[in-house]
Amino acid sequence: MSVFSEVPQAAPVAVFKLTNDFNNDQFPNKVNLGVGAYRTDDGKPWVLPVVKKVENIIVCDNTLNHEYLPILGLPEFRSSASKIALGDDSPAILENRVGAVQCLGGTGALKMGAEFLRRFYNGSNNTKTPVYVSAPTWENHNAVFANAGFEDVRPYKYWDAEKRGLDLAGFLGDLESCPERSIFVLHACAHNPTGTDPTPEQWKQIAEIMMRRKLFVFFDSAYQGFASGSLEKDAWAVRFFVSMGFEMFCAQSFSKNFGLYNERVGNLTIVARDADNLKRILSQMEKIVRTTWSNPPSQGARVVAVTLNTPELFAEWKDNVKTMADRVLLMRAQLRDKLKALGTPGTWDHITEQIGMFSFTGLNSKQVEYMVKEKHIYLMASGRINMCGLTSKNINYVAESIHEAVTKVQ
């Protein structure tokens, strides 16, 4: 008998199972609206032209080698990544109280932050501190904090299913009623999975309560630039919270806005009270990194660093990002218009009111099942669709299928 015979079979990760089911489907007009990655209007992955250019620069640079990076990562990557999140003129950067850890994607940045907070926030090794994640949220948020040792991961109200928008009153109510010093995971922009973000005025209300009630801010920024096409607009909330004087973490992913999904390029930006606090925080981050991945990979980080630190490449990158954002905005408008033209029951304005890669359609689980089984259109059970999966060739079929699902299945 194997020593591992008692190991239970784990359930597959939903989004990857969905892709596997899609790949095995022989139906000629099948559509994958599940996977969280950009696709061109031909339904193909897109290597950003600026990325190709920078990769060639790196290949031809004979000064580079494969020596270990510093434990916290490539310095020019860390500093430039924090700058695009906080802004070049950020007072926190000018006051030398911003530091960063290069991580394995946005997930790695969340993991590093969670591990540090469990060890050093709200006492020592405090596993009882409540961690609040939005309802709904990206499913990995719950797991990352639970696996870091937090025993009390709770939802905060966010989505109003009836009006298909933000439940601001519920959100603010949870901020007022939660225990002081609770940790809140906030989506910086393009909320996953709903695509619904607070307005600047609403963010100000959220920040005021969080400051007054001594709540810890942990931003997850996975779509900067990708959501609206503007780096500044998508970073508004993060920069506002810094201006309010919060000590906070911001997990950044460069998977979507650079198309570097398999390079695992992430950054944890740390905004501390002062330079002395920052120094001690980073010293402990080094210890955590050492026992997690020991040393980060260089390729993806170097692509991002060269791009962000070279003015003409930076300008080209912003143009590439806007190309992606504009295509998503176009697909949103076309899908809404087609559903309205078909007379599909319900309101569909939320499709264009939402932002970013995903849309929370409002389809229920039976309607989703109908879409998958009868129409061969693959989407998450929550009703979330990836707008990048829509193309000029399949959008009519998708719209007609949604209409059919809504009218036939209750």
Side-chain angles (χ1 to χ4, degrees):
M1 179 180 285
S2 169
V3 294
F4 300 117
S5 58
E6 300 299 314
V7 175
Q9 178 68 42
V13 177
V15 70
F16 288 96
K17 181 184 184 301
L18 198 71
T19 299
N20 192 52
D21 292 345
F22 170 81
N23 290 337
N24 292 330
D25 190 335
Q26 299 304 307
F27 187 70
N29 295 326
K30 64 184 180 178
V31 180
N32 187 359
L33 301 181
V35 67
Y38 180 78
R39 294 291 181 264
T40 65
D41 193 52
D42 292 321
K44 303 293 185 187
W46 191 44
V47 180
L48 273 60
V50 74
V51 167
K52 283 186 176 180
K53 193 176 288 186
V54 174
E55 285 175 333
N56 282 326
I57 292 170
I58 291 170
V59 166
C60 296
D61 187 345
N62 292 324
T63 67
L64 299 177
N65 54 46
H66 295 290
E67 291 295 297
Y68 288 118
L69 297 180
I71 290 176
L72 292 181
L74 194 68
E76 56 269 35
F77 164 75
R78 290 156 46 212
S79 61
S80 57
S82 294
K83 274 183 183 174
I84 68 159
L86 306 186
D88 285 343
D89 56 352
S90 170
I93 291 175
L94 299 174
E95 292 160 12
N96 296 314
R97 54 187 183 90
V98 174
V101 184
Q102 181 189 331
C103 300
L104 302 188
T107 306
L110 288 163
K111 171 74 170 170
M112 281 297 107
E115 291 286 347
F116 177 89
L117 291 172
R118 198 256 300 146
R119 287 166 170 80
F120 299 108
Y121 176 70
N122 199 21
S124 181
N125 199 32
N126 189 348
T127 61
K128 307 293 185 188
T129 303
V131 177
Y132 283 81
V133 299
S134 63
T137 193
W138 181 50
E139 70 278 357
N140 232 6
H141 281 154
N142 293 276
V144 166
F145 283 88
N147 284 332
F150 285 100
E151 298 171 15
D152 190 2
V153 181
R154 310 178 184 182
Y156 62 85
K157 295 181 188 71
Y158 193 86
W159 173 251
D160 184 328
E162 192 172 330
K163 71 175 186 182
R164 297 186 179 180
L166 181 68
D167 179 7
L168 182 66
F171 188 172
L172 299 179
D174 284 347
L175 290 172
E176 291 283 14
S177 63
C178 71
E180 281 197 351
R181 303 196 184 282
S182 294
I183 298 164
F184 272 73
V185 179
L186 306 175
H187 298 231
C189 66
H191 181 274
N192 180 3
T194 72
T196 297
D197 293 343
T199 65
E201 287 306 312
Q202 290 168 339
W203 275 123
K204 288 177 183 178
Q205 292 175 264
I206 292 162
E208 186 276 320
I209 299 172
M210 293 191 76
M211 178 64 77
R212 172 164 45 82
R213 302 214 56 245
K214 302 180 176 65
L215 305 176
F216 188 83
V217 177
F218 197 146
F219 273 109
D220 185 359
S221 178
Y223 302 96
Q224 189 182 352
F226 193 102
S228 69
S230 163
L231 291 173
E232 288 68 34
K233 187 175 179 182
D234 292 348
W236 190 92
V238 175
R239 295 176 186 183
F240 177 74
F241 274 72
V242 173
S243 75
M244 289 281 289
F246 282 92
E247 290 184 272
M248 59 185 237
F249 289 172
C250 179
Q252 297 169 263
S253 168
F254 292 91
S255 295
K256 310 293 193 298
N257 56 14
F258 265 85
L260 293 170
Y261 303 96
N262 67 13
E263 294 288 358
R264 311 312 301 137
V265 190
N267 190 59
L268 179 66
T269 289
I270 299 149
V271 181
R273 176 68 59 227
D274 52 45
D276 177 62
N277 272 290
L278 178 65
K279 182 181 176 184
R280 287 182 286 105
I281 292 166
L282 291 175
S283 74
Q284 293 295 341
M285 287 288 186
E286 280 198 349
K287 300 284 187 187
I288 300 170
V289 170
R290 182 68 175 145
T291 58
T292 308
W293 51 70
S294 185
N295 206 273
S298 71
Q299 175 67 8
R302 214 179 289 283
V303 168
V304 172
V306 170
T307 303
L308 299 184
N309 287 303
T310 311
E312 60 270 24
L313 295 173
F314 181 57
E316 184 177 348
W317 171 62
K318 287 197 288 185
D319 189 56
N320 290 173
V321 172
K322 193 170 186 312
T323 296
M324 294 189 285
D326 286 350
R327 187 176 112 67
V328 172
L329 292 170
L330 177 65
M331 289 297 104
R332 284 187 181 280
Q334 288 187 3
L335 181 61
R336 179 204 59 195
D337 291 349
K338 288 179 187 299
L339 290 170
K340 284 188 170 184
L342 288 165
T344 308
T347 173
W348 299 98
D349 286 336
H350 60 282
I351 292 175
T352 48
E353 288 164 0
Q354 295 167 1
I355 197 166
M357 182 176 280
F358 301 114
S359 178
F360 220 45
T361 58
L363 295 176
N364 63 40
S365 57
K366 287 183 179 177
Q367 290 164 344
V368 169
E369 186 179 7
Y370 180 86
M371 293 278 286
V372 174
K373 290 188 174 176
E374 301 298 325
K375 310 307 292 184
H376 305 267
I377 296 173
Y378 291 80
L379 65 158
M380 300 296 285
S382 64
R384 185 198 85 172
I385 62 173
N386 178 5
M387 299 305 299
C388 305
L390 295 173
T391 69
S392 56
K393 298 177 188 69
N394 68 26
I395 194 163
N396 285 330
Y397 177 67
V398 171
E400 288 159 8
S401 299
I402 291 174
H403 177 80
E404 199 175 300
V406 171
T407 51
K408 284 188 175 180
V409 184
Q410 299 307 311

